[in-house]
Amino acid sequence: MSKKATIGASPKDRSMDIMDKFIKRSERRNKHKEHLPGRRKSKDVPMDLWPLKDQLEYWENITDGQKFDRKYGSYIDWMNKIKDITGYPDRSFMDMISPVKHRERLKEVYAQKVLPKQAYQILLKENILWV
């Protein structure tokens, strides 16, 4: 049998044409979109968009206070973690910390950026929490 001649472009040319068409279409779509900010360390640019080198540098040089602020952004998050560590029911925990001086002490410990496990030990020693 004889080979049949192909009419038109070869499969390789056809696939390249399809890719070119796709690239042109995506460029047209993105032409009107807002450009991304410069991907550098800035308050306006999320850390996920930083170059990997800058992200690694940030994580290597982060202080304990910054780690604490990142993990426990609010007083409530920190207190909920302590409550989880204690294992007390919600009502019992709230009864233990309900006196004003106990709440003030909790706020002082939070302001010192003490981790919840260490804070739990401190509160046990000061008889704010009991077993």
Side-chain angles (χ1 to χ4, degrees), residues 9-21:
S10 69
K12 183 178 179 182
D13 291 339
R14 186 171 181 277
S15 66
M16 288 175 56
D17 289 341
I18 291 171
M19 283 305 296
D20 289 342
K21 194 173 175 182

Side-chain angles (χ1 to χ4, degrees), residues 23-78:
I23 291 169
K24 286 178 186 175
R25 187 174 6 149
S26 61
E27 285 176 353
R28 276 193 311 255
R29 282 185 191 159
N30 295 336
K31 188 167 100 176
H32 301 292
K33 286 186 180 177
E34 191 175 318
H35 292 287
L36 291 173
R39 299 182 197 269
R40 285 284 160 210
K41 294 185 261 185
S42 170
K43 292 179 181 178
D44 302 335
V45 179
M47 200 173 94
D48 299 340
L49 297 178
W50 291 4
L52 183 60
K53 179 184 172 192
D54 292 340
Q55 289 182 33
L56 293 173
E57 180 183 319
Y58 172 80
W59 287 112
E60 288 172 355
N61 297 329
I62 194 170
T63 63
D64 291 336
Q66 289 172 324
K67 286 180 187 175
F68 181 87
D69 290 338
R70 196 167 175 82
K71 190 165 187 177
Y72 306 106
S74 70
Y75 173 71
I76 299 298
D77 295 338
W78 179 78

Side-chain angles (χ1 to χ4, degrees), residues 68 72 75-88 93 97 106 109-110 114-121 123 129:
F68 181 87
Y72 306 106
Y75 173 71
I76 299 298
D77 295 338
W78 179 78
M79 192 183 328
N80 285 338
K81 183 65 176 174
I82 292 176
K83 184 173 61 173
D84 292 342
I85 291 171
T86 62
Y88 298 139
F93 183 78
I97 64 168
L106 277 172
V109 173
Y110 176 75
V114 177
L115 294 173
K117 288 181 183 178
Q118 296 167 343
Y120 174 65
Q121 296 298 324
L123 298 174
L129 299 176

Side-chain angles (χ1 to χ4, degrees), residues 83 86-96:
K83 184 173 61 173
T86 62
Y88 298 139
D90 291 348
R91 192 68 227 154
S92 298
F93 183 78
M94 295 309 284
D95 287 343
M96 288 182 210

